[in-house]
């Protein structure tokens, strides 16, 4: 346990350095960034897109965005991997939204060819205390809202899809999730 | 920030909105700093869940595709000093060119004889907006120092109309020393005078202040410091 935090700190420092170099349009640093982070980001794209071809296209788009936007990365604000993961997740979600726009009658639950049907979000993979906090706060929710928030996050689905999957009226699903989010917020901002 | 605002920020970060609601939330994100900060807070809270997704190596060929994609014109809309630098210095010796074009990493085996002098490790700094100095248009700036040439390169800064942005070096325990003015709106390269290059070392703070046109009339910054950060080994 003593090694993990310093490893995490060293990795974070290394990623910050690499990202700053990418912000200076250092192509070698960009390649290094890709090698350090692509498995992580591809995992995110794959989980949300649910198919390999789309995940590859989205991942490429993510790195182009990173190349363009690295100058906007603020080391003091977010950890580099958080910043990258957020870009990857939203790009993947955007892809899903576009899919839905073109195939407006997508069957509920059809999006995920189950690449990893058992999300290991709460499995101990990261030593970051924030991870424990979100996991603990989710755990503290009632089962139904908890599952809804998890599904929304893991599958990148909209309120409309959530409601359809669950056979719940849209308005009910919305207020269920909203209440859960506000409760989560209380828990997350505790001693923050 | 009302509970409704907080919930909306969370919904945006979670990714459950679509259609008109999504468009409205994004518009608000662009226009409302408090709302944007709330969304950022949620992104930070939620990101660990995404980071716990199983890692999967992408197919081997994707790396080449990605590297090719950033070479497409338009992939990097910022005026890149690497490209401008490469053009401007095309006639100079290979060793100098290598320092300008690829100063941050050892270059790949070149078709011409390798430079005889290895590039010293660059110094890097993240210049962040000091607490209390946050304002629209102020953003963190990345800076890199190439020690052999004494060149400091800084990412594009927003400079208020009719003002100048001045770069300072502050050695640990020392007084600010003016290094030069930044080009507003695009990356800047400054070659630091020989006598001041001793300042370009790890631990020295680089700071950018907003000054009257032409820079501070005195020996120290007169305007607000809008970005500052310490140099460290790259």
């Amino acid at each position: 346990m003593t090694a993990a935090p310093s490893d995490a700190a060293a990795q974070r420092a290394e990623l910050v350095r690499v990202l700053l170099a990418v912000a200076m349009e250092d192509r070698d640093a960009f390649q290094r960034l890709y090698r350090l982070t692509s498995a992580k980001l591809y995992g995110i794209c794959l989980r949300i897109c649910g198919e390999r071809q789309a995940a590859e296209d989205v991942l490429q788009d993510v790195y182009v965005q990173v190349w363009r936007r690295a100058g906007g990365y603020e080391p003091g604000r977010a950890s580099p991997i958080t910043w990258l993961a957020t870009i990857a997740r939203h790009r993947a979600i955007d892809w899903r939204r576009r899919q839905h726009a073109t195939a407006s009658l997508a069957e509920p639950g059809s999006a995920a060819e189950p690449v990893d049907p058992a999300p290991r979000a709460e499995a101990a993979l990261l030593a970051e205390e924030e991870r424990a906090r979100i996991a603990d706060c989710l755990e503290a929710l009632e089962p139904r809202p908890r599952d809804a928030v998890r599904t929304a996050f893991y599958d990148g689905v909209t309120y409309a899809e959530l409601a359809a999957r669950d056979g719940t009226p849209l308005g009910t699903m919305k207020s269920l999730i909203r209440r859960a989010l506000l409760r989560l917020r209380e828990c997350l901002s505790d001693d923050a | 920030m009302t509970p409704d605002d907080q919930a909306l920020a969370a919904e945006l970060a979670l990714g459950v909105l679509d259609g008109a609601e999504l468009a409205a939330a994004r518009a608000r994100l662009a226009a409302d700093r408090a709302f944007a900060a709330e969304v950022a807070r949620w992104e930070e809270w939620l990101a660990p869940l995404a980071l716990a997704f199983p890692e999967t190596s992408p197919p081997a060929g994707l790396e080449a595709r990605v590297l090719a994609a950033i070479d497409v014109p338009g992939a990097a809309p910022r005026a890149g000093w690497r490209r401008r630098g490469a053009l401007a210095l095309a006639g100079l010796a290979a060793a100098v060119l290598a320092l300008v074009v690829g100063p941050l990493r050892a270059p790949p085996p070149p078709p011409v004889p390798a430079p005889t002098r290895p590039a010293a490790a660059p110094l890097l700094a993240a210049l962040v907006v000091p607490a209390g100095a946050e304002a629209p248009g102020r953003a963190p700036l990345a800076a890199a120092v190439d020690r052999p040439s004494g060149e400091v390169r800084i990412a594009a800064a927003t400079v208020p109309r009719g003002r100048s942005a001045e770069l300072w070096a502050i050695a640990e325990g020392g007084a600010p020393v003016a290094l030069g003015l930044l080009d507003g709106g695009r990356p800047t390269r400054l070659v630091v005078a020989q006598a001041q290059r001793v300042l370009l070392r790890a631990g020295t703070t680089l700071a950018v202040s907003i000054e009257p046109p032409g820079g501070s009339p005195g020996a120290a910054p007169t305007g607000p410091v809008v970005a500052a950060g310490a140099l460290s080994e790259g």
Side-chain angles (χ1 to χ4, degrees):
Chain A
M1 283 310 286
T2 50
S6 65
D7 277 2
Q11 276 177 9
R12 177 177 172 144
E14 161 76 354
L15 263 187
V16 168
R17 273 196 298 275
V18 172
L19 256 183
L20 288 176
V22 171
M24 312 305 284
E25 301 190 4
D26 180 336
R27 214 168 168 282
D28 293 338
F30 179 75
Q31 185 172 35
R32 175 148 177 74
L33 181 73
Y34 180 89
R35 291 181 178 174
L36 285 171
T37 57
S38 57
K40 195 95 187 134
L41 301 190
Y42 186 59
I44 294 171
C45 295
L46 198 53
R47 183 68 185 79
I48 293 172
C49 294
E51 51 165 283
R52 293 181 185 280
Q53 186 56 53
E56 287 173 31
D57 292 346
V58 170
L59 187 70
Q60 174 176 332
D61 179 42
V62 166
Y63 279 99
V64 170
Q65 290 299 315
V66 167
W67 176 248
R68 284 182 185 170
R69 289 160 55 183
Y73 168 65
E74 306 180 26
R77 277 201 142 166
S79 88
I81 194 66
T82 290
W83 189 76
L84 293 166
T86 301
I87 293 176
R89 198 171 73 85
H90 282 290
R91 285 278 152 185
I93 289 176
D94 284 348
W95 177 84
R96 283 192 56 115
R97 298 289 183 276
R98 285 197 303 276
Q99 287 304 103
H100 261 240
T102 47
S104 57
L105 288 178
E107 324 81 274
S110 69
E113 148 201 325
V115 174
D116 176 29
R120 292 190 289 156
E122 277 84 13
L125 278 178
L126 288 173
E128 294 171 36
E129 71 276 15
E130 295 95 336
R131 206 196 68 75
R133 183 178 292 166
I134 181 72
D136 289 348
C137 291
L138 269 174
E139 208 50 53
L141 294 176
E142 295 290 317
R144 185 143 180 264
R146 180 178 64 218
D147 291 348
V149 170
R150 278 188 175 146
T151 304
F153 187 87
Y154 294 140
D155 293 355
V157 295
T158 59
Y159 273 136
E161 283 177 86
L162 276 173
R165 283 188 189 191
D166 199 50
T168 305
L170 182 59
T172 310
M173 181 55 74
K174 282 188 179 180
S175 47
L176 181 81
I177 292 217
R178 256 183 219 147
R179 273 200 308 275
L181 288 171
L182 288 175
R183 198 154 300 156
L184 265 182
R185 188 185 191 282
E186 261 174 50
C187 174
L188 288 161
S189 10
D190 243 11
D191 66 77
Chain B
M1 189 98 339
T2 67
D4 273 356
D5 294 335
Q6 291 172 347
L8 183 66
E11 291 171 319
L12 185 60
L14 183 62
V16 286
L17 302 176
D18 67 354
E21 282 182 322
L22 177 61
R26 282 186 174 164
R28 178 127 183 238
L29 181 67
D32 179 342
R33 289 174 65 81
F35 183 73
E38 177 72 10
V39 173
R41 206 166 296 139
W42 272 101
E43 299 287 12
E44 189 81 9
W45 281 330
L46 293 173
L49 293 177
L51 290 170
F53 290 165
E55 291 191 15
T56 312
S57 293
L62 195 57
E63 180 177 318
R65 242 174 79 190
V66 166
L67 291 175
I70 64 166
D71 286 335
V72 172
R78 300 166 289 162
W81 56 52
R82 292 188 58 210
R83 280 180 291 281
R84 287 193 289 115
L87 287 174
L89 293 171
L92 296 192
V96 176
L97 188 62
L99 286 176
V100 173
V101 177
L104 301 183
R105 294 289 181 278
V112 293
T116 50
R117 186 174 51 146
L123 293 167
L124 299 176
L127 278 54
V128 302
V129 182
E134 298 90 351
R138 291 184 189 169
L141 304 170
V145 172
D146 181 53
R147 281 181 280 193
S149 62
E151 183 178 81
V152 180
R153 304 172 307 161
I154 301 229
T158 307
V159 180
R161 192 184 310 242
R163 310 276 282 167
S164 288
E166 191 157 22
L167 180 67
W168 304 83
I170 306 152
E172 284 166 294
V177 173
L179 296 184
L181 300 181
L182 303 188
D183 301 332
R186 60 194 171 105
T188 303
R189 302 166 48 164
L190 287 169
V191 177
V192 174
Q194 196 75 43
Q196 295 169 348
R197 286 189 195 170
V198 64
L199 290 167
L200 302 180
R201 59 169 186 263
T204 292
T205 295
L206 294 183
V208 175
S209 69
I210 301 300
E211 301 291 343
S216 167
T222 60
V225 170
V226 294
L231 287 167
S232 63
E233 302 280 343

